[in-house]
Amino acid sequence: MSAPTSTPTRTGRLRDLGAGRGPSRLTGLPGLGIARGAFVALAVGVALLFQTTVFPHFHWHGVGPNLVLLVVVASGLARGAHFGMVAGFAAGLLLDLAPPADHAAGRWALALMAVGYVAGRVRQDAPAGVGGALAAVAACSFLGSSIFALTGLVLDPGVGVPDLLEVVLAGVVWDLVLAAFVVPVVLRGLAALDPSTDRS
């Protein structure tokens, strides 16, 4: 009688990098899934279009919402830290290069990569629900805006810290206001592309 082949017995959520079940989630870019990657790319493109053409007319003291950041947060919440980091880096580079960019390239890439990672860790450790999602948006918005502002402070020491803090806080408020419209759409889209995702 031949020995039985070994099969995975753990059915809980994988803790490695905040990913879902199965080794394909941990193998880099191919494991992200073409459909999910295309959906996030489309969502980032639409968010960037609105962010650069529509919302500049509604800025408060020069500060407006960061729709691209919200897409990255939703991606991390839906798919984990690895997916969130990759999506954040790509979206950040696009945001760095999109006109009328007036800052050094790479600042948003760094900020949104950190945002994607933190959102993915929140997916692991925090309870699901509206309150958890809003708390994740607030924390990630503050983190991303702070990283972007601090890198600007290093490159332009003439900017005052109180001014930066005011900009960061205003950005967090903007992002929270629009999170209810952006985050659920991205979450539902990614869930529809992967109905086997563990949402417990």
Side-chain angles (χ1 to χ4, degrees), residues 27-75:
T27 55
L29 287 174
L32 297 181
I34 295 174
R36 291 189 297 269
F39 175 80
V40 172
L42 177 63
V44 168
V46 172
L48 183 61
L49 179 65
F50 275 90
Q51 185 169 320
T52 56
T53 59
V54 176
F55 283 99
H57 300 290
F58 300 96
H59 279 186
W60 181 79
H61 292 281
V63 181
N66 193 331
L67 302 181
V68 176
L69 182 145
L70 294 177
V71 173
V72 172
V73 171
S75 299

Side-chain angles (χ1 to χ4, degrees), residues 78-91:
R79 300 297 308 160
H82 184 239
F83 189 95
M85 286 178 66
V86 175
F89 180 76

Side-chain angles (χ1 to χ4, degrees), residues 10-11 35 37-38 44 60 76 82 131-132 134 168 172 182 198:
R10 294 183 63 183
T11 57
V44 168
W60 181 79
H82 184 239
L134 288 178
V168 168
V172 171
V182 177
D198 181 8

Side-chain angles (χ1 to χ4, degrees), residues 143-157:
L143 173 67
S145 300
S146 297
I147 292 175
F148 182 80
L150 289 174
T151 54
L153 185 62
V154 171
L155 297 174
D156 185 10

Side-chain angles (χ1 to χ4, degrees), residues 10-200:
R10 294 183 63 183
T11 57
R13 179 182 300 165
L14 290 179
R15 294 294 179 179
D16 189 0
L17 296 177
R21 292 192 182 111
S24 64
R25 310 295 173 85
L26 305 175
T27 55
L29 287 174
L32 297 181
I34 295 174
R36 291 189 297 269
F39 175 80
V40 172
L42 177 63
V44 168
V46 172
L48 183 61
L49 179 65
F50 275 90
Q51 185 169 320
T52 56
T53 59
V54 176
F55 283 99
H57 300 290
F58 300 96
H59 279 186
W60 181 79
H61 292 281
V63 181
N66 193 331
L67 302 181
V68 176
L69 182 145
L70 294 177
V71 173
V72 172
V73 171
S75 299
L77 289 175
R79 300 297 308 160
H82 184 239
F83 189 95
M85 286 178 66
V86 175
F89 180 76
L93 276 182
L94 187 61
L95 189 57
D96 281 325
L97 300 176
D102 57 355
H103 58 271
R107 289 174 60 192
W108 274 122
L110 174 64
L112 294 190
M113 185 170 64
V115 164
Y117 174 78
V118 170
R121 298 299 297 184
V122 168
R123 174 183 183 263
Q124 275 187 283
D125 302 327
V130 176
L134 288 178
V137 168
C140 290
S141 176
F142 183 82
L143 173 67
S145 300
S146 297
I147 292 175
F148 182 80
L150 289 174
T151 54
L153 185 62
V154 171
L155 297 174
D156 185 10
V159 179
V161 173
D163 295 332
L164 290 180
L165 184 59
E166 181 181 352
V167 168
V168 168
L169 293 178
V172 171
V173 172
W174 259 121
D175 292 342
L176 281 173
V177 169
L178 291 180
F181 302 97
V182 177
V183 173
V185 172
V186 179
L187 289 176
R188 290 191 189 108
L190 288 172
L193 291 171
D194 188 7
S196 65
T197 299
D198 181 8
R199 298 182 184 85
S200 61

